Amino acid sequence: MCVAACERVLTEAGIKIQLHPNGTAIEGEWVPVFAAIESCHQAVQAMGCPRVYTNLKVTTRTNKEQTLEDKAASGSPGTEPLKTYCGSAFSG
């Protein structure tokens, strides 16, 4: 239920995501990504969860252009220049 709420928030914010068994991979510009993560917390709290725990891993890359799909295919970290990749696990 919480993951679905966050998926909806991220999709409505136009953030590129990939759901996987251990969390959600997020790709986008720094400010919109972190604003969307804040909105995920607000959405889950509005569902009655008094505490929300989010674990983030963030990488930025300026030496080459690489999307979530490229990263998944190559197994190496990184995204497009000045983009943010967040591997996160949302739980409520």
Side-chain angles (χ1 to χ4, degrees), residues 9-70:
V9 167
L10 295 169
T11 302
E12 289 173 1
I15 303 296
K16 187 175 180 179
I17 64 170
Q18 286 182 349
L19 300 175
H20 53 85
N22 296 315
T24 305
I26 304 170
E27 179 184 281
E29 299 294 332
W30 188 270
V31 172
V33 164
F34 282 91
I37 292 168
E38 179 181 21
S39 295
C40 286
H41 275 247
Q42 292 168 344
V44 172
Q45 288 168 336
M47 295 167 57
C49 297
R51 180 177 182 184
V52 181
Y53 176 77
T54 300
N55 182 14
L56 296 173
K57 292 182 181 182
V58 179
T59 183
T60 59
R61 194 160 197 169
T62 59
N63 64 329
K64 70 178 185 177
E65 200 169 302
Q66 188 177 35
T67 65
L68 281 174
E69 294 83 11
D70 296 335

